Amino acid sequence: MKEEKGFYERLAEKGVSRRDFMKYCGFLTATMGLSSSFVPKVAEVFAAPKQRPPVVWLHFGECTGCSEATLRSMYPWIDQLVLEILSIEYHETIMAAAGHQAEDVLRSAVKKHEGNFICVVEGAIATKYDGAYGKIGGRTFLEIGKDVCSKAAAVVCIGNCACFGGIQAAAPNPGGYKGVGDALGIQTVNVSGCPPNPINFVGTVVNYLLLGKLPELDWANRPLFAYGKTIHDQCPRRSHYEMDEFVEEFGSEEAAMGYCLYKMGCKGPSTYNNCPIVKFNGGTSWPIQAGHPCIGCSEPGFWDEMTPFFESQ
Ligand code: FSX
Ligand code: SF4
Ligand code: F3S
């Protein structure tokens, strides 16, 4: 109880009311596909964490947009909540250490938490020429990945690059870049997108802390709660497109079709993600709402299979 009071007091100091926090927990619970009876339990994961699993967060071939998206979400207090429920032992972007010191931190974190830590990976791994196309501190991504991931309790890939290779794996891909699961031949949980929506990463972590297991996955190892339906199936422009009144309103079928972005190359029909429902920046907007076709950023084979972006396939 005491702990809980401390938590809400700290939130209040940041200008966040208990009501706002519960609203966020309600949104997160719904995103995770759990019934509303779980909302208090989800709140408890943050307010009175029973465990703070150690996390080693690796960076390979990528742009760090995934970390940026997660750590700079619209409400700064959400980032802090994530950092509070996880014990981040190593993360190159947010840690103070650099060079040899950072290498030492990684080695000792892996040794200390062997078999117990969650390894979050951002970025793809070069596999050709013994991984020579990607190195940190003299070791290839391939060596680091093999060493660290084999000692983790679970490996969570954040972003298309770590999940499926992303832009690094686009043709001609001289370094033979691949997603982490493919490159290392291991099972990973793939929170895909370029970048992924932070709520889907938080949902994966909270699922683990709340239910003691990782979420159910689809054929591409993506959490089903987030990647179970296509963008197209959830797209508000689709219902408009299908409405006769909409055609009436725009005067012709051709004009009505202009509202749907399919002819501008929208890849919504072949892309699985929950963007239309959860949106970005605290529910402000998402690509199609902003007038841009979906470019298929959460699919295996993004880029090559989704380009040219502005032509329908
Ligand atoms: Fe990739 Fe993430 Fe796109 Fe960038 O690290 S999914 S290029 S947003 O940053 O890996
Ligand atoms: Fe489907 Fe894209 Fe058209 Fe939406 S804009 S209805 S996702 S094709
Ligand atoms: Fe990506 Fe399409 Fe969503 S481009 S962010 S999956 S709308």
Side-chain angles (χ1 to χ4, degrees), residues 231-232 235 237-238 260-262 266 268-269 288:
I231 295 288
H232 183 68
C235 181
R237 297 200 185 218
R238 175 179 169 152
C260 161
L261 303 171
Y262 186 69
C266 184
I288 288 174

Side-chain angles (χ1 to χ4, degrees), residues 42-65:
V42 167
E44 232 175 79
V45 168
F46 294 107
K50 292 191 182 70
Q51 41 159 334
R52 290 177 70 225
V55 168
V56 171
W57 192 304
L58 300 177
H59 289 263
F60 295 135
E62 41 87 30
C63 78
T64 308

Side-chain angles (χ1 to χ4, degrees), residues 193-197 231 267-268 271-276 280 286-288 292-299 302:
C194 185
N197 195 311
I231 295 288
K267 306 297 184 294
T271 302
Y272 289 77
N273 210 334
N274 56 2
C275 313
F280 287 82
W286 63 290
I288 288 174
H292 197 286
C294 168
I295 57 171
C297 79
S298 50
E299 288 307 295
F302 170 77

Side-chain angles (χ1 to χ4, degrees), residues 240-255:
H240 282 292
Y241 170 66
E242 282 171 349
M243 272 170 11
D244 289 348
E245 309 91 75
F246 189 72
V247 177
E248 233 167 68
E249 189 186 326
F250 277 73
S252 70
E253 198 171 308
E254 209 184 353

Side-chain angles (χ1 to χ4, degrees), residues 138-157:
R139 284 203 297 167
T140 63
F141 296 162
L142 199 56
E143 280 175 278
I144 301 170
K146 274 184 193 159
D147 176 27
V148 178
C149 294
S150 65
K151 294 173 182 145
V155 179
V156 178
C157 290

